[in-house]
Amino acid sequence: MTQTTSSPRLNPLHLAAAFGSGCLLTLMVHFNGMLAHYGNAMFSSWTAHGTGTVAALIYLAILYKKPKSGEIAKPKAPLWAYLGGVVGAAIVMLTSSAVNSPLALSGTIALGLGGQVIFSLAADLWGFFGLPRRRPDARDLCAVALILGGSALIILVGRAA
């Protein structure tokens, strides 16, 4: 397995963007959970993706620029890249159901974070989706243990309160 030894410096703007996206993800899960509470998980997913489609079309209409005649065409995305919408629909339905269970919002987000980290470590290890292969180290495994331990505290201790 190839392992990269040098890593670029962390950009504070990227850290802020990642933190902000986590906050927005929590809001999305809450809003979708409310839609599922008053409807069902399928309604929640259709509504989320329908409003997202409308917003994306408006965004594209405002910012679209015609490519210049001398520009080199961008390569086409691999077919598996288009599965993001299918995965997104499944995520909305699963989180909409989980947030309305005894897990509540915090337990759903905590376990979701654990699942994201574990899957991303597997993707790094095996080089899924064209990623460079990287073997998880002790820090990665410690982070997973802390996330899962924190998730257990949120779910088990928070439920008892």
Side-chain angles (χ1 to χ4, degrees), residues 2 14 32 38 54 57 70 73 78 89 107 131 142:
T2 60
H14 295 154
N32 291 337
Y38 290 105
V54 170
L57 290 173
L131 290 170
C142 183

Side-chain angles (χ1 to χ4, degrees), residues 1 119-128 131-136:
M1 291 191 190
F119 184 83
S120 64
L121 288 175
D124 284 346
L125 177 65
W126 290 303
F128 293 163
L131 290 170
R133 290 181 174 200
R134 184 184 75 84
R135 183 180 297 257

Side-chain angles (χ1 to χ4, degrees), residues 42-130:
M42 185 67 79
F43 171 73
S44 173
S45 186
W46 276 102
T47 303
H49 287 87
T51 56
T53 299
V54 170
L57 290 173
I58 292 169
Y59 181 77
L60 288 172
I62 292 170
L63 296 180
Y64 179 75
K65 295 178 187 175
K66 287 188 178 184
K68 296 176 184 171
S69 59
E71 272 188 31
I72 299 171
K74 292 182 180 178
K76 292 188 177 191
L79 286 177
W80 55 259
Y82 293 96
L83 293 175
V86 174
V87 172
I91 289 170
V92 170
M93 288 189 292
L94 291 171
T95 57
S96 296
S97 298
V99 79
N100 287 308
S101 74
L103 283 175
L105 181 61
S106 57
T108 300
I109 295 297
L111 287 176
L113 173 63
Q116 289 174 12
V117 172
I118 290 169
F119 184 83
S120 64
L121 288 175
D124 284 346
L125 177 65
W126 290 303
F128 293 163
F129 314 113

